[in-house]
C-alpha cells in the first residue's frame, strides 16, 4: 500500500465517522461507558492489591516455645526453621525483649495491665518470629513448624500463631472485584462491538452501489475494507481517549481530596505517576481493538465482496 492510498483510506475513514452522525456517537459512548467501568475496576484492583501487599510485608509467624526449652534445643529449632525453603528470615525474641515490646504496644496502659510483672516474674514465652518469602505459604509453613513437635520428644513448641486472616480477606475481596469487573466489562464490550458493527453496517448499506462500482473497476476486497477498519479504530480511539481523560481527572481529584484529609491518608493509594502511562496505553489499546473487532464483524456479515 502506497502513501497516497493510505491517505485516501484515512480520509474515507474520517468521513464515515462524521457521516454516520448519531450512530457514531452511540458507538463512542458505548466504548466510553465500557472502558470507564473497566478503568474504575482496574484502579480499584490495583489499590486493593497494593494494600494487600502492605499487609503481606507485615505477616509473620510467631512460634511460642515451651518454658522448659533449653538453649541447645532452641538453637536446633532455629536451624530447622531457617532451613525451610519458604522461610526468608527468622528472629529470636527472648522473654525480656518480648515483655519490653509488649509494654511498648500497650503504651500508657502498660503499667496497669502489666502490674506485678518484671524481669524476674515474666509470664511471656520465648518466641521465634518467622518471615516467609511468599505470603500465600504462611499456612503451609506454620503447619511445617508445628510438625517439628513430632520430631522432638520434648515437644518444644507451645503454639504457632500467624496473622493471615486479614490478608486472606483482602485476597478474596481483590478476586471478587476482579471477577465482577471482567463480567461487567465483557458484557459492555460485546455491546460496544454490536453498536460499532451496526454503525459500519449502515455505512456499507448506504454505499453499496458505490462499492459495487468500485468492484467493477477492479478494486480489491482489501482496498474496500480498509476505510471501515479505520472508521472502527477511530471510534475506539476517540472513546478510549475521552475515558482516559475522565479517569485521569477523577483520580487526580481523589488523590487531592485524600491528601487534605488526615484519616483518609491511611488509604495509601497508588501514586498516579507510577501507573498512568501503562494504564492509559492499555485502555487506548483496548478501545482501538474493540473498534476494529466491531468493524471486522460488520464487514464479514454485511459486505459481500
Amino acid at each position: 500500500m502506497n502513501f497516497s492510498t493510505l491517505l485516501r483510506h484515512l480520509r474515507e475513514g474520517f468521513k464515515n465517522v462524521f457521516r454516520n452522525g448519531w450512530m457514531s456517537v452511540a458507538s463512542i459512548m458505548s466504548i466510553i461507558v465500557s472502558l470507564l467501568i473497566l478503568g474504575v475496576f482496574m484502579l480499584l484492583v490495583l489499590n486493593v492489591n497494593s494494600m494487600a501487599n502492605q499487609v503481606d510485608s507485615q505477616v509473620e509467624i510467631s512460634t511460642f516455645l515451651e518454658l522448659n526449652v533449653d538453649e541447645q534445643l532452641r538453637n536446633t529449632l532455629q536451624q530447622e526453621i531457617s532451613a525451610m525453603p519458604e522461610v526468608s528470615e527468622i528472629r529470636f525474641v527472648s522473654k525480656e525483649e518480648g515483655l519490653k515490646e509488649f509494654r511498648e504496644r500497650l503504651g500508657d496502659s502498660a503499667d496497669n495491665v502489666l502490674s506485678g510483672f518484671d524481669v524476674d516474674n515474666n509470664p511471656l514465652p520465648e518466641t521465634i518470629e518467622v518471615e516467609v518469602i511468599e505470603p500465600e505459604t504462611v499456612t503451609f509453613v506454620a503447619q511445617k513448624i508445628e510438625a517439628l513437635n513430632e520430631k522432638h520428644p520434648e515437644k518444644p513448641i507451645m503454639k504457632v500463631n500467624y496473622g493471615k486472616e486479614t490478608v486472606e480477606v483482602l485476597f478474596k475481596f481483590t478476586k471478587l472485584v476482579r471477577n465482577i469487573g471482567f463480567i461487567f466489562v465483557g458484557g459492555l464490550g460485546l455491546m460496544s462491538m454490536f453498536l460499532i458493527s451496526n454503525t459500519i453496517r449502515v455505512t456499507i448499506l448506504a454505499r453499496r452501489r458505490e462499492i459495487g462500482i468500485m468492484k467493477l473497476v477492479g478494486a480489491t476486497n482489501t482496498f474496500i475494507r480498509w476505510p471501515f477498519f479505520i472508521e472502527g479504530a477511530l471510534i475506539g480511539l476517540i472513546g478510549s481517549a475521552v475515558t482516559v481523560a475522565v479517569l485521569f481527572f477523577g483520580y487526580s481529584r481523589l488523590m487531592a481530596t485524600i491528601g487534605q484529609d488526615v484519616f483518609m491518608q491511611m488509604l495509601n493509594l497508588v501514586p498516579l505517576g507510577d501507573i498512568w502511562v501503562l494504564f492509559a496505553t492499555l485502555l487506548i489499546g483496548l478501545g482501538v481493538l474493540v473498534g476494529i473487532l466491531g468493524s471486522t464483524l460488520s464487514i464479514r456479515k454485511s459486505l459481500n465482496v
Side-chain angles (χ1 to χ4, degrees), residues 100-115:
K100 180 181 178 182
E101 292 177 2
F102 194 32
R103 283 186 176 277
E104 290 175 354
R105 287 199 296 268
L106 291 175
D108 296 336
S109 60
D111 292 336
N112 294 328
V113 175
L114 298 177
S115 177

Side-chain angles (χ1 to χ4, degrees), residues 114-184:
L114 298 177
S115 177
F117 296 111
D118 52 28
V119 175
D120 297 325
N121 184 24
N122 186 349
L124 298 180
E126 295 178 329
T127 308
I128 301 175
E129 300 289 350
V130 182
E131 295 183 9
V132 296
I133 299 174
E134 296 292 337
E136 292 79 5
T137 64
V138 166
T139 302
F140 176 66
V141 174
Q143 292 172 348
K144 289 178 67 174
I145 294 174
E146 288 178 336
L148 294 177
N149 259 345
E150 306 303 322
K151 184 177 179 180
H152 300 279
E154 300 91 339
K155 306 292 189 212
I157 298 173
M158 177 175 60
K159 182 182 178 182
V160 177
N161 184 38
Y162 60 98
K164 184 64 176 174
E165 290 79 7
T166 303
V167 178
E168 289 178 345
V169 170
L170 283 173
F171 282 155
K172 289 178 181 178
F173 179 67
T174 302
K175 184 178 180 180
L176 178 64
V177 169
R178 188 184 297 116
N179 290 339
I180 293 175
F182 285 151
I183 292 171
F184 271 98

Side-chain angles (χ1 to χ4, degrees), residues 24-39:
S24 294
V25 172
S27 300
I28 291 171
M29 291 303 298
S30 177
I31 288 179
I32 291 174
V33 172
S34 302
L35 293 183
L36 196 59
I37 294 177
L38 172 62

Side-chain angles (χ1 to χ4, degrees), residues 20-294:
N20 291 314
W22 287 110
M23 288 293 292
S24 294
V25 172
S27 300
I28 291 171
M29 291 303 298
S30 177
I31 288 179
I32 291 174
V33 172
S34 302
L35 293 183
L36 196 59
I37 294 177
L38 172 62
V40 169
F41 272 99
M42 285 175 61
L43 290 173
L44 183 58
V45 168
L46 282 171
N47 283 285
V48 170
N49 281 334
S50 176
M51 294 176 190
N53 290 334
Q54 292 174 24
V55 175
D56 287 348
S57 63
Q58 301 172 7
V59 172
E60 287 184 344
I61 300 173
S62 297
T63 306
F64 301 105
L65 304 182
E66 293 285 359
L67 297 178
N68 59 350
V69 175
D70 58 33
E71 183 177 356
Q72 181 178 355
L73 181 55
R74 187 187 69 212
N75 291 336
T76 300
L77 284 173
Q78 292 186 71
Q79 293 173 3
E80 290 173 340
I81 295 172
S82 295
M84 295 179 182
E86 301 86 3
V87 173
S88 61
E89 184 180 353
I90 67 168
R91 181 174 72 93
F92 173 70
V93 180
S94 66
K95 297 176 63 172
E96 294 75 16
E97 290 175 322
L99 183 60
K100 180 181 178 182
E101 292 177 2
F102 194 32
R103 283 186 176 277
E104 290 175 354
R105 287 199 296 268
L106 291 175
D108 296 336
S109 60
D111 292 336
N112 294 328
V113 175
L114 298 177
S115 177
F117 296 111
D118 52 28
V119 175
D120 297 325
N121 184 24
N122 186 349
L124 298 180
E126 295 178 329
T127 308
I128 301 175
E129 300 289 350
V130 182
E131 295 183 9
V132 296
I133 299 174
E134 296 292 337
E136 292 79 5
T137 64
V138 166
T139 302
F140 176 66
V141 174
Q143 292 172 348
K144 289 178 67 174
I145 294 174
E146 288 178 336
L148 294 177
N149 259 345
E150 306 303 322
K151 184 177 179 180
H152 300 279
E154 300 91 339
K155 306 292 189 212
I157 298 173
M158 177 175 60
K159 182 182 178 182
V160 177
N161 184 38
Y162 60 98
K164 184 64 176 174
E165 290 79 7
T166 303
V167 178
E168 289 178 345
V169 170
L170 283 173
F171 282 155
K172 289 178 181 178
F173 179 67
T174 302
K175 184 178 180 180
L176 178 64
V177 169
R178 188 184 297 116
N179 290 339
I180 293 175
F182 285 151
I183 292 171
F184 271 98
V185 172
L188 289 169
L190 290 175
M191 184 179 71
S192 298
M193 286 189 286
F194 176 75
L195 285 173
I196 293 171
S197 177
N198 283 341
T199 302
I200 303 295
R201 190 177 293 116
V202 169
T203 302
I204 293 171
L205 292 175
R207 299 177 59 197
R208 186 171 292 277
R209 182 178 179 183
E210 177 185 345
I211 292 171
I213 294 172
M214 292 170 64
K215 289 280 292 179
L216 289 174
V217 298
T220 63
N221 292 348
T222 301
F223 184 87
I224 296 173
R225 287 189 175 104
W226 261 102
F228 299 111
F229 288 143
I230 292 173
E231 180 183 355
L234 286 172
I235 289 174
L237 178 62
I238 294 170
S240 58
V242 173
T243 303
V244 168
V246 171
L247 288 173
F248 183 89
F249 175 78
Y251 197 76
S252 299
R253 294 298 301 168
L254 179 62
M255 293 284 289
T257 301
I258 289 176
Q260 297 171 0
D261 192 306
V262 176
F263 295 101
M264 294 184 69
Q265 286 179 7
M266 294 186 295
L267 291 176
N268 290 326
L269 294 184
V270 178
L272 193 62
D274 292 351
I275 60 173
W276 205 253
V277 173
L278 180 62
F279 187 75
T281 302
L282 178 61
L283 285 184
I284 290 175
L286 283 174
V288 173
L289 178 62
V290 168
I292 292 175
L293 286 175

